[in-house]
């Protein structure tokens, strides 16, 4: 998205840089704000595209009770979601402006984020935000929330891809970061491994240092005089070997190639070993795959593993398709095993 126009008289010493910018705009309407505030769950907007390139997508995240200790503020974040056309970008610089609109669509509140940097390789789903976006005082409740308790936020983001910017005509090209490939080879070749994850008689050699760096649970396990630390062996009985292999692949590379097949199992593993990003990845995949047949099972799974975003998505799907979900075997099983969840669904229906 940026190009260099070299002056022939100065081509040996440098060149001028032209940067092409892009922008994206979105209006996010959040109904029943007090309900979301009472539940305290984070909310995510649908993805929205930029003006020039609809392959570049963004989405917003809102915390009704703030992502900090105090609950008297709203936190707001912006995330870069999809980069199929910018896969080799090194850096994207962006500026975002957030406005709150009243019921007449008048701009009543404004805050901005300047010089947000999204850097490769962790550019996808990385985000910036304002933890104390707005205080929930009388002005917020009486003037910024509409009469039907709706919060309306308009986002305007301008950004530039800096991947091809050159300075001074040096001719030096920066190679792609191959960190994930290096770590993938490390686990594949069992290089200098010092611990084994044992599942149903199958051993998976690994490295304590990597496990400690990626998981607070493994960190606590190896920082103390535990059986696993002394024996250099972790016996896992509640997760199958395919899921453990997928979990290790994520731990070492940040990726999961078999998420379509392993999302349910990996959600349980991510919950057990406190792998927060993997847990969110699984939740998003399961929400995308919701169906009449599996919605009740997904709801039970979300509740069991404390994934509130997935739980909320499953309840919303069930409410919208209740007459069909109601006759499935999964719903009947949930009636017997999880009566509190069926009550939550009924309460959600009653609020419609």
């Amino acid at each position: 998205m940026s190009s260099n126009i070299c002056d022939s008289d100065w081509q040996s010493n440098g060149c001028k840089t032209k940067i092409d910018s892009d922008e994206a705009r979105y209006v996010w309407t959040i109904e029943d704000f007090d309900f979301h505030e009472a539940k305290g769950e984070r909310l995510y907007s649908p993805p929205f595209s930029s003006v020039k390139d609809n392959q570049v997508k963004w989405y917003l995240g809102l915390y009704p009770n703030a992502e900090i200790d105090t609950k008297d503020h709203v936190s707001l974040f912006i995330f870069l979601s999809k980069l199929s056309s910018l896969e080799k970008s090194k850096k994207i610089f962006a500026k975002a402006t957030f406005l709150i609109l009243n019921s007449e669509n008048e701009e009543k509140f404004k805050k901005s984020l300047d010089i947000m940097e999204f850097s490769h390789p962790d550019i996808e789903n990385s985000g910036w935000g304002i933890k104390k976006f707005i205080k929930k005082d009388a002005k917020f409740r009486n003037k910024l929330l509409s009469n039907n308790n709706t919060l309306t936020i308009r986002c305007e983001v301008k950004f530039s891809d800096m991947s091809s910017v050159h300075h001074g005509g040096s001719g030096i090209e920066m190679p792609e970061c191959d960190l994930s490939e290096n770590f993938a080879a490390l686990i594949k070749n069992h290089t200098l491994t010092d611990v084994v994850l044992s599942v149903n008689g199958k051993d998976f050699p690994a490295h304590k240092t990597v496990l400690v760096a990626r998981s607070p649970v493994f960190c606590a396990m190896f920082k103390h005089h535990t059986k696993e630390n002394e024996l250099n062996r972790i016996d896992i009985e509640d997760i199958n070997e395919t899921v453990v292999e997928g979990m290790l692949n994520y731990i070492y590379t940040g990726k999961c190639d078999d998420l379509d097949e392993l999302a349910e199992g990996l959600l349980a593993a991510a919950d057990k070993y406190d792998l927060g990003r993997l847990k969110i990845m699984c939740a998003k995949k399961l929400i995308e795959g919701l169906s009449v047949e599996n919605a009740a099972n997904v709801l039970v799974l979300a509740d069991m593993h404390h994934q509130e975003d997935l739980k909320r998505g499953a309840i919303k799907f069930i409410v919208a398709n209740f007459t069909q979900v109601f006759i499935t075997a999964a719903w009947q099983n949930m009636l017997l095993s999880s009566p509190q969840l069926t009550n939550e669904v009924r309460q959600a229906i009653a609020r419609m």
Side-chain angles (χ1 to χ4, degrees), residues 55-85:
Q55 295 300 310
V56 182
K57 295 184 182 295
W58 307 81
Y59 65 94
L60 303 177
L62 182 137
Y63 300 74
N65 293 324
E67 197 199 27
I68 47 179
D69 293 336
T70 178
K71 292 186 177 182
D72 60 351
H73 281 76
V74 173
S75 296
L76 185 63
F77 292 79
I78 183 168
F79 300 88
L80 193 53
S81 173
K82 188 175 181 182
L83 290 167
S84 61
S85 66

Side-chain angles (χ1 to χ4, degrees), residues 153-198:
I153 298 173
R154 188 171 78 206
C155 171
E156 301 171 356
V157 55
K158 296 182 179 180
F159 63 96
S160 298
D161 171 23
M162 303 296 288
S163 60
S164 59
V165 174
H166 302 281
H167 302 281
S170 66
I172 299 175
E173 295 186 5
M174 183 64 67
E176 291 292 325
C177 177
D178 55 0
L179 183 65
S180 63
E181 289 80 4
N182 295 154
F183 273 78
L186 195 66
I187 187 69
K188 181 179 179 181
N189 299 327
H190 304 163
T191 306
L192 300 177
T193 57
D194 54 3
V195 67
V196 168
L197 281 68
S198 181

Side-chain angles (χ1 to χ4, degrees), residues 188-224:
K188 181 179 179 181
N189 299 327
H190 304 163
T191 306
L192 300 177
T193 57
D194 54 3
V195 67
V196 168
L197 281 68
S198 181
V199 188
N200 297 328
K202 184 173 182 178
D203 290 345
F204 295 92
H207 305 80
K208 288 183 180 180
T209 302
V210 178
L211 299 181
V212 165
R214 298 286 278 159
S215 163
V217 175
F218 285 129
C219 182
M221 184 183 296
F222 294 125
K223 284 177 65 176
H224 300 92

Side-chain angles (χ1 to χ4, degrees), residues 110-342:
K110 179 178 179 180
K111 272 193 178 180
S112 298
L113 278 171
D114 292 326
I115 315 180
M116 299 181 293
E117 179 182 328
F118 300 86
S119 300
H120 186 81
D122 296 322
I123 193 167
E124 189 164 351
N125 293 314
S126 58
W128 288 70
I130 306 174
K131 292 186 176 181
K132 290 187 176 182
F133 173 61
I134 187 168
K135 188 172 183 178
K136 296 184 293 185
D137 53 15
K139 179 182 178 181
F140 170 78
R141 299 190 185 280
N142 298 331
K143 295 185 178 181
L144 298 183
L145 290 180
S146 66
N147 294 332
N148 60 350
N149 197 35
T150 296
L151 177 64
T152 303
I153 298 173
R154 188 171 78 206
C155 171
E156 301 171 356
V157 55
K158 296 182 179 180
F159 63 96
S160 298
D161 171 23
M162 303 296 288
S163 60
S164 59
V165 174
H166 302 281
H167 302 281
S170 66
I172 299 175
E173 295 186 5
M174 183 64 67
E176 291 292 325
C177 177
D178 55 0
L179 183 65
S180 63
E181 289 80 4
N182 295 154
F183 273 78
L186 195 66
I187 187 69
K188 181 179 179 181
N189 299 327
H190 304 163
T191 306
L192 300 177
T193 57
D194 54 3
V195 67
V196 168
L197 281 68
S198 181
V199 188
N200 297 328
K202 184 173 182 178
D203 290 345
F204 295 92
H207 305 80
K208 288 183 180 180
T209 302
V210 178
L211 299 181
V212 165
R214 298 286 278 159
S215 163
V217 175
F218 285 129
C219 182
M221 184 183 296
F222 294 125
K223 284 177 65 176
H224 300 92
H225 297 292
T226 62
K227 177 184 69 174
E228 292 83 359
N229 197 16
E230 293 176 1
L231 299 178
N232 297 323
R233 181 183 183 86
I234 305 170
D235 291 307
I236 301 175
E237 299 178 352
D238 54 349
I239 306 174
N240 68 48
E241 55 265 33
T242 304
V243 171
V244 169
E245 186 175 13
M247 179 185 71
L248 284 173
N249 180 58
Y250 169 79
I251 286 175
Y252 277 77
T253 69
K255 303 174 184 177
C256 187
D257 299 328
D258 300 319
L259 198 56
D260 287 335
E261 294 79 20
L262 301 179
E264 290 189 14
L266 283 173
L267 178 65
D271 185 38
K272 179 177 180 179
Y273 293 107
D274 198 7
L275 302 168
R277 187 172 182 271
L278 178 59
K279 197 171 178 181
I280 293 174
M281 289 168 62
C282 294
K284 290 182 70 175
K285 179 61 65 175
L286 290 168
I287 287 177
E288 292 169 3
L290 279 171
S291 67
V292 169
E293 289 74 20
N294 72 9
N297 287 336
V298 171
L299 176 56
V300 172
L301 190 72
D303 184 66
M304 182 185 304
H305 297 296
H306 317 290
Q307 221 305 322
E308 294 301 323
D309 295 328
L310 178 58
K311 182 177 178 180
R312 185 173 63 252
I315 290 177
K316 183 177 180 180
F317 181 91
I318 292 172
V319 170
N321 302 276
F322 185 70
T323 56
Q324 295 170 281
V325 174
F326 178 74
I327 60 176
T328 63
W331 175 264
Q332 299 305 316
N333 290 335
M334 192 177 77
L335 282 173
L336 298 175
S337 63
S338 304
Q340 81 281 1
L341 288 179
T342 58

